[in-house]
Amino acid sequence: MGFFDRLTGTRDPEAGITPRSTEDVRAALLGINAPGVPYAVRHATAAERADLVAEWRVPELRLTLRTRMRFVPAERVGARPRRTVGRAGT
């Protein structure tokens, strides 16, 4: 793991973990949406420069945390499998 991996939250998966396809990950993230929960995963707008955005609303604090996720499947071909954990931002 390099310096920039630490800054972006990129981590190597544990041994024996088989990476999922980009489409599987996207479908799984969009599939966690449900009525009555304080979070939502949605498709990003062009201005957000991402593929998906996860939003967590904290109404008591009038706060919304957003994590932008970008999928780059071309970089995964032939490379070691990686998992990226985004940082929350407002």
Side-chain angles (χ1 to χ4, degrees), residues 18-29 71-73 76 82:
T18 304
R20 298 290 197 144
S21 70
T22 301
E23 294 79 23
D24 287 347
V25 173
R26 183 187 317 266
L29 288 168
F71 300 108
V72 188
R76 296 182 68 192
R82 300 177 76 105

Side-chain angles (χ1 to χ4, degrees), residues 30-39:
L30 289 170
I32 66 170
N33 289 324
V37 295
Y39 58 83

Side-chain angles (χ1 to χ4, degrees), residues 7-8 54-56 63-68 85-90:
L7 289 177
T8 62
E55 296 180 332
W56 185 280
L63 177 70
T64 300
L65 303 173
R66 290 184 185 90
T67 301
R68 293 183 303 243
V85 178
R87 304 260 183 215
T90 57

